[in-house]
Amino acid sequence: MAFAPLILRAPCKPNDPMRVAVFVSGHGSNLQALINDTKRSTSPYEIALVISNEKDAFALKRAEHAGLKWKVISHKDYKSRDEFDAQLLKACKAAKIELVVLAGFMRLLSSAFLKEYRNRVVNVHPALCPSFPGLHAQKQALAAGVWYSGCTVHIVNEGVDTGAIIAQSSVPILSDDDEDKLIHRIQAKEHKLFKTVIRAIAKGKVSTDGKTVRFADRDKMLLA
Ligand code: GRF
């Protein structure tokens, strides 16, 4: 398969901001970073919808405060993952969502959802993939004794943090680090990397052949 941009913007509306849905489950510091980013008048994307599967997620307060459209779709209200995902899909379709951003969303998406949004769901994981997938990535990195960890923004596939890597950012692990210190150091990087990647996707600078990703700004970012 040839490389193609993740999002193909409608040629009739090239200047309309890309419509993004942010899925959350908890604190929402990444959501806040994206909210702050979209407040800049030049943003090529807008947060058209926030969905939480947890009704008490602090992220929802951030969405409300920012005047965003938000919705709770609780997995507990549905018998199966397919039924839950069907509701997520319905909400995204109704809001004409182009890109789905997982920002601390603690559920796995089904094949049915991913089929509809193939290569248009991205996640931020707090490790340098393919190392330390799944839960407690920072704790895993500390236990492994690695000197560097970081964060990865990747395309979401059916696996756990196994989708094609779009971009990464590294942090050193210091000798007296504990899990909390590492979580915070990595999150500061996530907040920068996620918005950079989403802007790049909106501008057609991220393409994939279904297996790997080409990111036009890769070398510029690495050598900055
Ligand atoms: C982030 O560390 C992200 O890497 C992981 O979940 C955490 C969410 O944090 N997927 P927040 O809710 O954005 O503060």
Side-chain angles (χ1 to χ4, degrees), residues 3-11 13 18 98 119-120 201-202 204 206:
F3 278 86
L6 266 54
I7 306 280
L8 279 172
R9 310 303 316 288
K13 294 180 178 170
M18 176 177 74
E98 295 170 272
N119 296 330
R120 292 190 292 139
I201 293 172
V206 181

Side-chain angles (χ1 to χ4, degrees), residues 24-32 59 62 102-106 123-127 138 150-152 161 183 186-187 190-191 194:
V24 294
S25 299
H27 190 60
S29 69
N30 279 285
L31 170 66
Q32 189 64 55
R62 298 180 189 271
L102 307 186
F105 183 63
M106 301 304 284
N123 178 46
V124 64
H125 181 65
Q138 303 90 339
C151 56
T152 302
D161 306 315
I183 286 173
I186 292 175
Q187 275 202 335
E190 290 179 0
H191 298 161
F194 222 1

